[in-house]
């Protein structure tokens, strides 16, 4: 306590020094605290369900021949039922699907994302509604109950938190549903869902084995681990493959912890960023250590007297560390406030793209982390100065004065080592940021296969109960398109069932005319998209051969399809695909004729090595209830939103519009992970660059102050201004260049950690390393110029009289 009180007294006597040190450490600790709050919410904190470590996802593993590069797949109803009946490793299994309901009868119609779940869904998660009850087992079959459970958000938003809402009716897709319950505020499974409805499978649904569109959730039995569960599912898959060779040959199963299934894709980027922000803290500590070292020389006589009076090395170290720990605690407080101030902004920025982002909290656990790294930073920043204090020669220190000519060659070497460390760490961060910037630049220039500029997208889901016949479904969308195309400034408009780069869309096995069909698992899979006339010109996808769909491609006519260039090259290499015939295996009664070849679209992401082989089916021949309207405008796309909304409501006033946006925004959203990593890594690298520049400047400025008499003598003996400038710049650049060399070696060694996050550039890209090295050298030169200039302003006669 005496050391702490003494350290506090010393800091009060040097407020400028204390303020600078607190700000430097506050920046480093604040950045670490803010990012740790993200990592804690996404990666470290257990899922908000009882005994969540036993929750797993069970996926299909598709045949590698039909699905090259795809490791996991959704599940079919019949296989799920077989898994549930035959396994001995799960306490319980549940299944969930997705759909959208139009909620009407309230103030405004609303399209509500909904999960269709089995009655075991909530019990697997060991979670019950806050109000009301969960679904009973009989609701798994069709016709038993039109029940619904509300999310907390929907309950608050549409029902004003009415505690008597259970038992009330609401209208979904024109049908009456009874509210069975309301989930609590923390329940978000799946995260974007606002309603849960019973599974309601018919016997026909339960028998489907070849269509995969559900997710399976399970809870392991006590004492069973994931490896045992995987072995059991492998055995069940082998039995199903023998029993149903047509549908299940080649299909396996994968058991994955639920936490990994939810956050697995985000883990690599977050761990890289956590390492980067740790580098920033190390640089901040090195900076403060340099500042403290600069003060150490002035206290050599004080420490010599303490040692002469019997102080041990431990006491000297404790005294030195107490000062830096106090500085670090001040920096920790500043960093905590900085992280608290950024909490809301982090949640808003990450809510759509990062799993569990809504759980980000700068809470007591994060406060404990802040306290811990503050103490660690204080010890790291004070360790070298404390070590230098213990190296003081008592006899020499007691003989010397405290003038500006006192030498401390060991201290200067230590300060040089710290500068070298700062520069090296900064270069590693700058190289990472440079690679991410180059990668994003390359992705921005990838041709997605369509023109996203001036394109508005609007998704519409019509109730199947209200539009049961295919003819009525196609008539609705044709009427909407006719009204939209008539709007001023609209150049072209069409529909598609899954927008490019949206992550949606389906694939189907196909049979090519003239080739053996074989079993389902051996049939090639291609993407299948349902589009209307006008879609191809709206996105300016080139027609390479044949023709586009036209108004003659209607029900009752010969089934027509368009194929992508990749599909044409893959299945009819060197031949004309026009007039060839293809059968989609899920609709085996229809032989479809290729009428055109269109350009490839990078549906699976701009960073995909190859586009996906794709078949386009005309909407009028295969109508559906969920389609996105795509329209190209001459003005800003968002300026037509109200007119498009009015056009849709003139056809059906009860139809809400979903996901109103632009194709440009969709392309930008598809790059979120790369942009997020680049932005944070760039921010950390910029902060590191600033701290490194400050560190070089502070060391050189201190060195110039210590060498005033030496410089005066040199100038008195005839040294010119250029000689002094070269001398000081050499001292500064020597450490910087050594740091750059070490940093390049370290960056090359660590560059492979970014390999999965970058695109279009090698992780050892020479241009990037040369550019960031040149930038760091330039900053070091700039940080050296001011002390060098100050050295040339020394008046020799005044300096020689100072002592």
């Amino acid at each position: 306590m005496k050391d702490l009180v003494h350290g506090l007294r010393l800091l009060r006597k040097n407020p400028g020094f204390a303020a600078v040190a607190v700000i430097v450490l506050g920046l480093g600790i604040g950045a670490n605290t803010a990012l740790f709050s993200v990592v804690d919410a996404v990666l470290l904190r257990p899922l908000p369900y009882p005994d969540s470590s036993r929750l797993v996802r069970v996926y299909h593993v598709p045949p590698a021949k039909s699905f090259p590069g795809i490791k996991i797949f959704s599940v079919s109803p019949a296989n799920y039922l077989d898994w549930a009946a035959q396994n001995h490793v799960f306490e319980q299994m549940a299944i969930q699907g997705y759909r959208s309901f139009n909620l009407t009868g309230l103030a405004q119609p609303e399209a509500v994302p909904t999960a269709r779940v089995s009655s075991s869904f909530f019990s697997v998660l060991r979670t019950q509604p806050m109000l009301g009850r969960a679904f009973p087992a009989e609701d798994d079959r069709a016709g038993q109950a039109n029940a619904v459970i509300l999310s907390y958000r929907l309950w608050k938003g549409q029902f004003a938190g009415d505690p008597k809402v259970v038992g009330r009716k609401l209208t979904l897709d024109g049908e009456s549903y009874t509210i069975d319950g309301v989930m609590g505020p923390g329940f978000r499974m799946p995260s974007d869902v606002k309603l849960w409805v019973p599974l309601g499978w018919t016997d026909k649904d339960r028998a489907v084995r070849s269509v995969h569109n559900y997710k399976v959730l399970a809870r392991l039995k006590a004492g069973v681990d994931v490896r045992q569960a995987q072995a059991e599912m492998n055995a069940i898959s082998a039995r199903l493959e023998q029993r149903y060779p047509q549908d299940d040959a080649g299909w396996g199963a994968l058991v994955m912890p639920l936490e990994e299934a939810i956050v697995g894709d985000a883990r690599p980027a977050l761990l890289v960023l956590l390492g980067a922000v740790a580098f920033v803290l190390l640089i901040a500590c090195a900076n403060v250590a340099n500042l403290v070292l600069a003060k150490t020389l002035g206290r050599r006589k004080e420490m010599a007297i303490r040692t002469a009076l019997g102080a041990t090395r431990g006491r000297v170290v404790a005294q030195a560390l107490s000062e830096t720990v106090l500085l670090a605690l001040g920096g920790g407080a500043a960093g905590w406030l900085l992280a608290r101030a950024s909490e809301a902004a982090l949640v808003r920025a990450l809510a759509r793209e990062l799993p569990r982002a809504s759980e980000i909290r700068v809470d007591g656990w994060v406060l404990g982390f802040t306290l811990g790294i503050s103490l660690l930073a204080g010890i790291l920043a004070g360790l070298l100065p404390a070590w230098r204090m213990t190296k003081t020669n008592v006899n020499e220190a007691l003989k010397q004065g405290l003038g500006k000519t006192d030498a401390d060659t060991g201290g200067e070497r230590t300060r040089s080592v710290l500068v070298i460390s700062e520069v090296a760490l900064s270069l590693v961060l700058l190289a990472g940021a440079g690679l991410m910037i180059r990668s994003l630049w390359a992705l921005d220039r990838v041709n997605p296969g369509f023109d996203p500029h001036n394109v508005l997208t609007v998704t519409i889901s019509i109730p199947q109960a209200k539009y049961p016949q295919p003819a009525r479904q196609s008539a609705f969308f044709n009427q909407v398109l006719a009204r939209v195309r008539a709007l001023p400034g609209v150049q072209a408009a069409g529909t598609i069932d899954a927008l490019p780069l949206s992550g949606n869309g389906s694939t189907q096995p196909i049979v090519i005319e003239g080739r053996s069909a074989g079993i389902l698992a051996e049939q090639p899979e291609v993407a299948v998209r349902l589009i209307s006339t006008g879609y191809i010109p709206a996105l300016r996808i080139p027609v390479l051969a044949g023709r586009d769909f036209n108004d003659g491609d209607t029900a009752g006519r010969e089934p027509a399809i368009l194929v992508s260039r990749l599909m044409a090259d893959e299945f009819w290499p060197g031949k004309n695909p026009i007039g060839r015939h293809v059968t989609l295996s899920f609709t085996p009664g229809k032989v479809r004729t290729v009428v055109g070849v269109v350009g490839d679209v990078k549906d699976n992401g701009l960073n995909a090595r190859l586009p996906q082989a794709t078949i386009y089916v005309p909407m009028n021949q295969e109508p559906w209830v969920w389609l996105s309207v795509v329209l190209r405008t001459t003005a800003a796309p968002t300026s037509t939103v109200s007119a498009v909304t009015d056009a849709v409501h003139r056809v059906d006033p009860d139809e809400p519009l979903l996901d109103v946006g632009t194709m440009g925004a969709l392309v930008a959203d598809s790059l979120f992970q790369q942009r997020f990593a680049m932005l944070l890594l760039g921010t950390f690298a910029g902060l590191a660059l600033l701290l490194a520049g400050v560190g070089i400047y502070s060391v050189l400025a201190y060195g110039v102050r210590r060498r005033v008499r030496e410089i005066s003598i040199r100038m008195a003996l005839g040294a010119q201004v250029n000689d002094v400038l070269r001398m000081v710049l050499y001292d500064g650049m020597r450490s910087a260049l050594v740091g750059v060399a070490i940093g390049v070696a370290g960056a090359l060694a660590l560059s492979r950690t970014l390999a999965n996050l970058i695109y279009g550039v090698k992780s050892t890209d020479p241009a990037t390393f040369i550019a960031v090295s040149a930038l760091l050298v330039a900053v070091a030169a700039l940080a050296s110029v001011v002390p060098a200039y100050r050295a040339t302003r020394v008046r020799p006669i005044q300096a020689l009289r100072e002592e």
Side-chain angles (χ1 to χ4, degrees):
M1 286 302 299
K2 288 182 179 179
D3 289 335
L4 290 174
V5 171
H6 181 67
L8 187 60
R9 189 181 303 120
L10 289 173
L11 294 178
R12 288 176 60 187
K13 290 180 179 179
N14 298 273
F17 162 79
V20 171
V22 166
I23 290 171
V24 168
L25 286 173
L27 289 172
I29 294 172
N32 274 267
T33 300
L35 190 60
F36 177 79
S37 69
V38 177
V39 172
D40 175 51
V42 178
L43 301 182
L44 303 181
R45 195 176 300 168
L47 296 173
Y49 311 110
D51 206 3
S52 61
S53 61
R54 289 165 53 197
L55 291 172
V56 296
R57 283 274 188 211
V58 187
Y59 295 99
H60 263 317
V61 177
K65 183 177 180 180
S66 298
F67 297 85
I70 299 178
K71 303 299 183 184
I72 60 175
F73 212 79
S74 49
V75 181
S76 63
N79 280 313
Y80 158 72
L81 294 172
D82 285 334
W83 289 353
Q86 297 181 32
N87 85 86
H88 301 91
V89 291
F90 301 124
E91 274 187 10
Q92 208 172 12
M93 298 184 79
I95 193 167
Q96 68 183 63
Y98 291 92
R99 66 169 297 174
S100 178
F101 277 116
N102 290 342
L103 174 60
T104 55
L106 299 175
Q108 287 288 336
E110 180 182 354
V112 184
T114 304
R116 295 176 59 195
V117 298
S118 60
S119 58
S120 56
F121 180 77
F122 297 103
S123 57
V124 165
L125 294 171
R126 291 185 179 171
T127 304
Q128 293 300 309
M130 177 183 69
L131 299 175
R133 61 164 193 171
F135 301 130
E138 55 267 23
D139 283 1
D140 284 346
R141 291 191 173 271
Q144 297 300 312
N146 269 18
V148 63
I149 292 175
L150 309 180
S151 70
Y152 186 85
R153 289 173 292 163
L154 189 66
W155 176 61
K156 280 288 190 181
Q158 289 282 17
F159 298 94
D162 181 6
K164 298 180 180 179
V165 73
V166 175
R168 283 178 57 180
K169 303 289 185 180
L170 73 164
T171 304
L172 299 174
D173 281 1
E175 295 186 3
S176 178
Y177 280 72
T178 302
I179 299 174
D180 272 10
V182 178
M183 298 306 297
F187 187 82
R188 294 174 180 266
M189 175 64 76
S191 59
D192 57 340
V193 160
K194 292 185 178 181
L195 287 178
W196 293 266
V197 297
L199 202 56
W201 276 346
T202 63
D203 289 340
K204 183 179 179 181
D205 293 330
R206 297 167 69 87
V208 172
R209 196 171 293 275
S210 59
V211 179
H212 308 82
N213 48 17
Y214 289 89
K215 287 187 175 182
V216 172
L217 182 69
R219 180 176 288 274
L220 296 170
K221 288 182 177 179
V224 175
D225 60 23
V226 172
R227 287 178 300 175
Q228 293 170 296
Q230 184 63 61
E232 173 90 330
M233 293 307 299
N234 290 343
I236 294 174
S237 297
R239 291 199 297 269
L240 294 178
E241 183 174 2
Q242 291 181 350
R243 187 171 180 182
Y244 305 103
Q246 181 63 28
D247 294 312
D248 281 354
W251 286 86
L254 175 67
V255 181
M256 181 184 296
L258 180 60
E259 184 176 5
E260 181 180 343
I262 291 174
V263 305
D265 290 342
R267 189 183 302 274
L270 286 178
L271 292 180
V272 167
L273 291 172
L274 194 60
V277 80
F279 277 20
V280 173
L281 182 60
L282 288 175
I283 294 170
C285 291
N287 245 326
V288 173
N290 259 327
L291 292 172
V292 174
L293 269 172
K295 291 184 62 184
T296 300
L297 182 59
R299 299 178 60 191
R300 285 198 304 163
K301 193 165 186 179
E302 172 198 338
M303 291 303 170
I305 293 172
R306 286 175 176 270
T307 303
L309 293 175
T312 63
R313 284 192 173 187
R315 295 293 303 122
V316 172
V317 168
Q319 175 60 58
L321 290 180
S322 64
E323 187 175 345
T324 55
V325 166
L326 285 170
L327 290 171
L329 291 175
W336 166 259
L337 293 175
L338 181 64
R340 284 296 301 268
S342 64
E343 178 185 329
L346 279 172
V347 174
R348 283 196 304 270
L350 305 178
R352 287 185 58 190
E353 303 293 342
L354 199 64
R356 305 186 69 185
S358 60
E359 299 176 38
I360 294 173
R361 297 286 184 274
V362 183
D363 53 15
W365 171 243
V366 178
L367 177 61
F369 170 82
T370 305
L371 180 61
I373 63 168
S374 298
L375 293 173
L376 178 62
I379 293 171
L380 289 175
L383 212 52
L384 278 175
W387 177 75
R388 284 299 309 151
M389 285 185 178
T390 64
K391 294 297 182 180
T392 299
N393 186 310
V394 177
N395 291 328
E396 292 297 323
L398 290 174
K399 290 177 183 178
Q400 290 177 357
L402 296 175
K404 293 183 179 179
T405 57
D406 292 341
D408 183 25
T409 55
E412 289 186 9
R413 285 195 299 271
T414 305
R415 285 191 292 276
S416 295
V417 168
L418 289 172
V419 169
I420 290 169
S421 302
E422 289 185 61
V423 172
L425 292 171
S426 299
L427 192 135
V428 172
L429 291 182
L430 283 169
L435 290 171
M436 292 301 302
I437 292 170
R438 289 283 307 276
S439 175
L440 196 61
W441 184 83
L443 284 169
D444 277 337
R445 280 150 184 77
V446 168
N447 179 11
F450 58 89
D451 180 4
H453 302 97
N454 280 18
V455 176
L456 181 73
T457 65
V458 175
T459 301
I460 305 172
S461 174
I462 58 176
Q464 197 157 9
K466 189 174 182 179
Y467 297 89
Q469 294 86 17
R472 291 191 62 190
Q473 295 166 9
S474 60
F476 170 86
F477 284 104
N478 284 327
Q479 290 178 52
V480 168
L481 286 175
R483 291 184 178 275
V484 167
R485 288 166 182 160
L487 295 175
V490 174
Q491 295 179 317
T495 62
I496 186 170
D497 60 340
L499 290 167
L501 302 175
S502 65
N504 301 319
S506 63
T507 61
Q508 286 193 38
I510 61 170
V511 177
I512 305 295
E513 183 183 37
R515 301 186 186 184
S516 173
I519 61 175
L520 200 64
E522 294 179 351
Q523 295 172 5
E525 290 266 347
V526 299
V528 179
R529 298 291 179 265
L530 176 66
I531 66 171
S532 72
T533 57
Y535 172 77
I536 297 295
L539 283 190
R540 293 180 178 170
I541 300 172
V543 178
L544 306 175
R547 65 172 178 87
D548 189 6
F549 293 140
N550 56 43
D551 293 336
D553 296 311
T554 59
R557 297 290 183 91
E558 181 182 17
I561 56 172
L562 303 176
V563 298
S564 66
R565 174 165 47 188
L566 180 66
M567 180 168 175
D569 293 342
E570 184 175 342
F571 294 104
W572 301 284
K575 298 178 182 178
N576 183 9
I578 306 301
R580 306 281 179 170
H581 296 96
V582 175
T583 301
L584 301 180
S585 297
F586 294 162
T587 52
K590 289 186 178 181
V591 178
R592 304 168 192 267
T593 304
V594 178
V595 299
V597 179
V598 298
D600 292 319
V601 172
K602 284 210 164 185
D603 232 353
N604 291 334
L606 296 178
N607 58 351
R609 188 175 62 87
L610 289 173
Q612 204 170 8
T614 305
I615 285 177
Y616 296 93
V617 177
M619 180 199 73
N620 286 331
Q621 292 185 347
E622 299 279 347
W624 186 233
V625 296
W626 176 290
L627 294 174
S628 293
V629 178
V630 176
L631 58 143
R632 178 171 294 279
T633 65
T634 55
T638 52
S639 65
T640 62
V641 171
S642 60
V644 171
T645 304
D646 182 65
V648 173
H649 287 167
R650 285 180 180 273
V651 179
D652 189 337
D654 289 333
E655 290 306 317
L657 274 61
L658 283 160
D659 301 329
V660 178
T662 66
M663 280 305 304
L666 193 60
V667 171
D669 287 346
S670 72
L671 299 177
F672 171 81
Q673 186 177 13
Q674 292 87 348
R675 202 180 303 276
F676 168 69
M678 184 274 292
L679 181 63
L680 283 190
L681 199 56
T683 301
F684 298 151
L687 183 58
L689 187 64
L690 174 65
L691 292 175
V694 170
I696 294 170
Y697 170 79
S698 62
V699 169
L700 286 180
Y702 174 77
V704 168
R705 286 198 303 271
R706 301 302 306 169
R707 299 174 67 182
V708 165
R709 194 164 187 268
E710 173 198 339
I711 293 171
S712 299
I713 294 173
R714 286 177 180 271
M715 296 186 73
L717 293 176
Q720 300 299 309
V721 170
N722 289 339
D723 297 325
V724 176
L725 280 173
R726 278 195 298 270
M727 179 184 70
V728 177
L729 284 172
Y730 172 77
D731 287 345
M733 296 307 296
R734 180 178 54 188
S735 298
L737 290 173
V738 172
V740 166
I742 295 173
V744 167
L748 288 171
L750 294 173
S751 60
R752 65 184 61 186
T753 60
L754 290 175
N756 293 329
L757 298 176
I758 58 178
Y759 170 85
V761 60
K762 293 182 178 179
S763 59
T764 56
D765 178 53
T768 301
F769 281 83
I770 291 171
V772 298
S773 298
L775 175 62
L776 201 47
V777 168
V779 170
L782 185 63
S784 304
V785 163
V786 176
Y789 177 75
R790 289 178 62 184
T792 65
R793 307 297 294 174
V794 172
R795 295 174 59 189
I797 191 64
Q798 180 182 351
L800 292 172
R801 287 174 176 172
E802 280 188 6
E803 308 263 350

